Amino acid sequence: MSYSSVFTALITHFSHDKIDYNALSLLIDYQIESKVSGIVISGSTGEALSLSDSEHLELVNYVTSYVKDTKKSNMKVVVGIYASSIKDILHKVSC
């Protein structure tokens, strides 16, 4: 088995019960500088369970826009989606 790329599972920084986008941007910049192939947000680190649907969507929109606007990287973004039913997952995917 061989692996040809690295994806980093990022933590979501919080400050005063809100997502700390400045800290998140610094973390994303570090991943770009380290030349990782992609990042995973709201994935295996568990914070998705504590985000509301609107916070989750805001996080996804911020990160995807930030990576796209950086233009230093072809980094891919993988988004974790957590829900208690298939119906809820399909709703989140369609947002």
Side-chain angles (χ1 to χ4, degrees), residues 72-84:
K72 296 178 189 172
S73 170
N74 292 328
M75 181 186 298
K76 301 196 178 2
V77 177
V78 175
V79 178
I81 298 176
Y82 293 96
S84 59

Side-chain angles (χ1 to χ4, degrees), residues 32 62-73 75 77:
I32 292 169
Y62 177 83
V63 171
T64 55
S65 294
Y66 187 86
V67 168
K68 182 179 177 184
D69 292 344
T70 303
K71 295 185 171 112
K72 296 178 189 172
S73 170
M75 181 186 298
V77 177

